[in-house]
Amino acid sequence: MLGKRLPIRLRAALAAALTAALAFTAGALWLRNEVYASKMGDTHNRARASLDVIEQRYKHGYGSDPVLFDTPYTWVIVDPAGRFVEGDPDLEPFVPDPLGVHPDPPGKTVAIERDLHLGTVSGTARPGSKQLAGRDIRVVSSAFQGRGLLDGRPSAPVENLTLHILVTPEEAEEAVAAVDHVLYFGLPAAVLLVALIVWTTTSRALRPVEGIQQRLRTITSRDLSLRVPVPPRRDEIARLAATTNDTLDRLEQAAEQQRRFTADASHELRTPLAALRADLEVALHYPDHTNWPEITRGTLSDAARLEQLTEDLLLLADLDNRTPHTARPVELGALTHKAAAQARRHAPASVHVDCPASDDVTVHGDARQLERLLRNLLDNAVRHARSRVLVTVSAQDATALIEVRDDGPGVPAEHREKIFERFTRLDASRNRTSGGTGLGLAIAREIAHNHHGTLTLSETPPAAGTRFVAVLPLAPGTKEA
């Protein structure tokens, strides 16, 4: 829990320091072991070389000549019974188990069979041999056969004599102590250096984040024009800043669209309300000169317009919020015939449907919303058609196609996308009798998008009318035409 409250740069520095400490400690232990093993190997090699020196002493009968017998190690020769024969006098009281020493591990002991002559003169004692007690001692041994000299004459053969050379890890310990001295100061310094580098690098990397944070604090819903600074380098923070600016662009567009929508909705609601209030006020001031049936019909017409506008606004609000719809299989052929039958009741133009009964064009969606999409397209086509409206329903490439054609004047190229904007009405339709609310096509497109489809106005030759095409995904299991 505490780690989550720490700053990112501190967490990164601590993590790097901990990782470096573990890695450096493991490396230091490995280095110490390698240095110790290397020094002990050198010591053992020199001890084995001393075996030859001692061998030469007895082989040539030079006794304790200090020149030919000069080894830095303590040594002792014992007979088969473990009795002291030759060597360091200080070790004689400890034979047959001198100082409790233990032989080398397997593979380290040297076993040599040679014919040597033992002299009668004791070997030269090395200084400091008494200091071996309590030390970690290793033994390099050589087993051999020899013949001693008794009063200058060869004695009887002595079998299975053993030469022990005692070595200590003093040199290895001194080398390891030198390495430890360096590690005691170098390891903490290296860990601190790694933490400092990570802290500095993380601070520099996060510096643009502070600028982004300060800029975001100044952006409010009243002013969405500001943007966060984008770092010049192309990294994750630069992509985050670019994505933030893209999000702010979409928020600004949505806020601007919402403001326009609110203003347009207020205007559209105010117009029928003002007309309704004016008619009622005139009727109340002049009750004797008022045609009440006509006033009632006008009032009902304005109320119906308000009701239709309110329903359109509520539907748009649901579509904007992406309210989940009840998804069920919907057969577009039957739904199109139903919508066309309703349009024929008030249409001066003829409405034809091209959807063979044998074709199964089924989509997954909300039947009421899809019916509203068809009704809005048909209302728009009937309003602008001269004499004929044609609705075609077909299936192609796993999609359902709904085409609504009319033989009206068509839509200029510059207005083909504008007509899908909310409260957009071309000048020819801006009247209270034939003009709509300007929400029909916007609602139809939102319904298509809400069903993972599209609604577009296809290009047609001049004066050839309009052709709206809605594309919706077919329901799983529907056979393509």
Side-chain angles (χ1 to χ4, degrees):
M1 190 67 179
L2 179 60
K4 295 181 179 180
R5 298 178 180 177
L6 297 177
I8 294 178
R9 64 192 70 182
L10 181 56
R11 278 186 282 169
L14 291 177
L18 179 59
T19 304
L22 293 176
F24 291 161
T25 300
L29 294 176
W30 175 83
L31 178 61
R32 291 180 81 258
N33 291 335
E34 288 294 316
V35 171
Y36 187 87
S38 176
K39 286 297 182 180
M40 286 301 298
D42 294 342
T43 300
H44 280 215
N45 290 334
R46 289 196 299 271
R48 291 187 180 97
S50 296
L51 293 173
D52 294 333
V53 176
I54 300 174
E55 174 186 345
Q56 294 298 325
R57 174 188 184 280
Y58 289 99
K59 185 175 182 180
H60 299 288
Y62 291 120
S64 58
D65 190 326
V67 176
L68 294 178
F69 181 58
D70 186 12
T71 175
Y73 303 107
T74 302
W75 58 279
V76 63
I77 297 177
V78 296
D79 61 13
R83 295 186 297 268
F84 178 87
V85 176
E86 187 77 24
D88 194 324
D90 294 330
L91 296 181
E92 184 174 359
F94 302 97
V95 175
D97 186 14
L99 304 179
V101 298
H102 51 84
D104 275 336
K108 294 293 185 178
T109 299
V110 179
I112 307 175
E113 296 287 338
R114 291 179 182 160
D115 184 12
L116 300 177
H117 298 280
L118 296 178
T120 57
V121 182
S122 173
T124 303
R126 306 306 303 165
S129 59
K130 294 182 179 180
Q131 304 300 323
L132 295 175
R135 299 292 299 272
D136 184 16
I137 301 174
R138 297 290 183 269
V139 179
V140 179
S141 303
S142 173
F144 58 90
Q145 300 175 3
R147 182 185 300 274
L149 298 175
L150 182 62
D151 296 333
R153 300 176 182 178
S155 63
V158 179
E159 303 292 340
N160 299 326
L161 295 177
T162 304
L163 169 63
H164 297 295
I165 293 183
L166 281 63
V167 297
T168 64
E170 183 177 359
E171 294 184 4
E173 291 174 352
E174 291 177 355
V176 170
V179 173
D180 289 343
H181 183 74
V182 176
L183 294 177
Y184 287 153
F185 298 96
L187 195 147
V191 172
L192 290 177
L193 179 62
V194 170
L196 180 61
I197 292 175
V198 173
W199 173 279
T200 304
T201 304
T202 307
S203 299
R204 293 187 60 184
L206 293 178
R207 192 174 302 161
V209 177
E210 297 178 357
I212 295 174
Q213 182 182 10
Q214 293 176 0
R215 180 62 60 84
L216 286 175
R217 289 175 179 174
T218 63
I219 299 176
T220 62
S221 59
R222 295 184 178 181
D223 184 11
L224 293 174
S225 61
L226 297 178
R227 296 294 179 268
V228 300
V230 179
R233 55 180 181 270
R234 298 179 180 179
D235 55 6
E236 291 80 358
I237 297 179
R239 292 195 293 271
L240 174 63
T243 303
T244 302
N245 286 336
D246 292 340
T247 303
L248 290 174
D249 289 338
R250 292 192 296 269
L251 287 175
E252 185 179 19
Q253 294 174 3
E256 181 62 25
Q257 182 180 3
Q258 187 67 26
R259 282 193 290 267
R260 290 199 307 267
F261 177 77
T262 302
D264 293 339
S266 301
H267 175 74
E268 293 293 334
L269 289 171
R270 187 184 298 114
T271 300
L273 284 174
L276 179 61
R277 181 173 181 175
D279 291 342
L280 293 177
E281 287 179 350
V282 170
L284 288 175
H285 279 83
Y286 305 99
D288 296 335
H289 302 282
T290 299
N291 185 349
W292 288 104
E294 183 179 351
I295 290 296
T296 302
R297 286 192 294 270
T299 302
L300 288 175
S301 176
D302 290 335
R305 179 179 175 83
L306 285 172
E307 181 182 9
Q308 181 63 39
L309 182 57
T310 303
E311 290 180 357
D312 290 345
L313 293 176
L314 291 175
L315 179 57
L316 277 175
D318 289 339
L319 294 174
D320 288 340
N321 293 331
R322 293 294 187 265
T323 303
H325 55 77
T326 304
R328 296 178 181 176
V330 179
E331 210 287 303
L332 290 181
L335 199 65
T336 303
H337 283 289
K338 179 181 177 181
Q342 294 177 353
R344 292 189 187 100
R345 298 175 185 176
H346 310 286
S350 60
V351 179
H352 301 276
V353 177
D354 182 9
C355 180
S358 59
D359 291 348
D360 180 17
V361 184
T362 304
V363 298
H364 220 60
D366 190 326
R368 292 183 300 176
Q369 290 188 10
L370 294 173
E371 183 181 359
R372 182 64 181 275
L373 182 150
L374 287 167
R375 191 168 69 246
N376 287 1
L377 292 179
L378 286 171
D379 289 344
N380 180 79
V382 167
R383 184 180 300 115
H384 297 92
R386 293 189 178 94
S387 60
R388 189 171 185 271
V389 174
L390 175 62
V391 184
T392 304
V393 179
S394 62
Q396 181 180 0
D397 296 334
T399 58
L401 302 180
I402 304 174
E403 299 183 17
V404 179
R405 300 171 178 262
D406 65 69
D407 57 355
V411 178
E414 63 271 16
H415 296 312
R416 285 176 180 167
E417 281 299 318
K418 186 177 180 181
I419 60 174
F420 291 104
E421 297 178 3
R422 300 173 184 185
F423 298 107
T424 297
R425 290 174 294 183
L426 301 183
D427 293 339
S429 63
R430 287 187 179 273
N431 60 80
R432 293 183 60 187
T433 58
S434 61
T437 62
L439 296 175
L441 294 178
I443 291 175
R445 172 170 276 189
E446 289 296 332
I447 292 175
H449 290 171
N450 205 31
H451 286 74
H452 309 289
T454 59
L455 175 61
T456 57
L457 177 61
S458 299
E459 295 184 4
T460 55
T466 58
R467 175 174 172 261
F468 289 91
V469 179
V471 181
L472 303 173
L474 285 173
T478 304
K479 296 181 179 180
E480 300 177 15

